[in-house]
Structures are given as structure tokens and as C-alpha cells.
Amino acid sequence: MSDKVFNVLFLCTGNSARSIMAESILNVEGKGRFRAFSAGSHPKGAVHPWAIRTLEALNCPSSGFGSKSWDVFAEPGAAHMDFIFTVCDDAAGEACPVWLGHLATAHWGIEDPAAVEGLEVEKGRAFAQAARYLRNRISLFVNLPLATIDKLSLQEQLEEIGRTSPSAG
């Protein structure tokens, strides 16, 4: 199992910010052990410019992403997902996508930085905070002992990760 590359899908409503950032961050932090994807239930059609700027600031890939429907991952021949995480924040009234199946899933809700209005500095701050949450949670995830953890413990750990705050820094 140590040679297995795990496919991970990050779902959000618009697939323009949080899920895109999570995809890029995991593809870096996962060091080849994970292959990340992202999609949305109601894709915006374009990646938010602040998501791109934030990824660049983190030295993560920032190009080649597109806002797409989660339907592409339900088509015949689509890659099988080992993990699916929703990153929308249902506490803010968003409708999070639901993905049915017998997969390891968890909700890692993060406030939508794309919804922040105001000065550019406020938008940048919101995207930086979302990225800190994502990076911290992804770091915890990639360090789980996936080869030895049982399914129930894994599910508990994934849910606990979704409740963590960003690390300082």
C-alpha cells in the first residue's frame, strides 16, 4: 500500500477558490503520494484571481486550473477517488455538494474568501486565511498513517482535521 497514489477530490460550490487552492497545495504537500482534483456543484467557470495570487505567494502551482462541475468525476472512465473533502462553509449558508458512495469523506468547511467584499487588502487577507486553514489541514492529512489505520479511525481523524484551525504563521 505504500506505493499507492491516492486520488483526492476537493469539492466546493463554485470551484473558483478554496477547492482550487486545496488541489494545488495537496499536489505539492503530498509529494507524489497524492493526486488532487477539484470541482464544484455550481462552478463559476473561472478561477478567482486572488486564488491564483495566493497560490503564487505560497510557491504552489497557479496555472492550468479550471472551474468545473463535479459531474466530470462521475462519468464513465473517470478516476476513482480515494478521498473526497468538501471545503464549502455550510455555516455561512452555502449549499455544500453531496457526494454519495462508499468513500472516505469529510467536511473541512472554510469561509468563502471569494465572498469578501471591500478593499483589495481585505480580499487578500481572506484568501491568505483560507490558504492557512487548507495548508494546515492538508499537512495533517498527508501525515496520517494511511497504510496502517483502520477505516473507522481514519474517518474520525479526517473529521477531526476538519475542525482544526490554521497554524500560526
Side-chain angles (χ1 to χ4, degrees), residues 49-151:
W50 268 106
I52 294 168
R53 289 182 202 147
T54 303
L55 290 171
E56 289 171 349
L58 295 173
N59 294 315
C60 289
S62 61
S63 63
F65 296 103
S67 177
K68 60 199 159 299
S69 171
W70 64 354
D71 292 339
V72 301
F73 295 100
E75 295 176 0
H80 168 77
M81 295 298 146
D82 298 296
F83 299 94
I84 297 178
F85 301 116
T86 55
V87 293
C88 52
D89 186 12
D90 55 350
E94 288 182 271
C96 292
V98 176
W99 195 270
L100 302 175
H102 303 286
L103 305 167
T105 64
H107 177 68
W108 291 358
I110 296 172
E111 289 184 40
D112 186 1
V116 171
E117 297 179 7
L119 301 173
E120 289 297 299
V121 69
E122 294 166 330
K123 293 176 185 178
R125 190 176 303 125
F127 273 85
Q129 179 177 343
R132 280 192 305 275
Y133 270 97
L134 290 167
R135 194 173 223 179
N136 186 46
R137 291 173 180 179
I138 288 168
S139 177
L140 293 168
F141 170 61
V142 300
N143 285 296
L144 288 174
L146 298 177
T148 59
I149 194 168
D150 65 85
K151 187 169 177 137

Side-chain angles (χ1 to χ4, degrees), residues 7-85:
N7 288 333
V8 179
L9 179 59
F10 291 97
L11 294 176
C12 204
T13 308
N15 188 223
S16 68
R18 294 162 291 182
S19 53
I20 297 285
M21 291 191 300
E23 176 182 357
S24 182
I25 293 167
L26 179 57
N27 280 330
V28 171
E29 299 290 324
K31 298 181 169 92
R33 293 180 40 234
F34 299 89
R35 185 176 24 249
F37 304 88
S38 66
S41 57
H42 298 91
K44 299 280 186 195
V47 178
H48 195 287
W50 268 106
I52 294 168
R53 289 182 202 147
T54 303
L55 290 171
E56 289 171 349
L58 295 173
N59 294 315
C60 289
S62 61
S63 63
F65 296 103
S67 177
K68 60 199 159 299
S69 171
W70 64 354
D71 292 339
V72 301
F73 295 100
E75 295 176 0
H80 168 77
M81 295 298 146
D82 298 296
F83 299 94
I84 297 178
F85 301 116

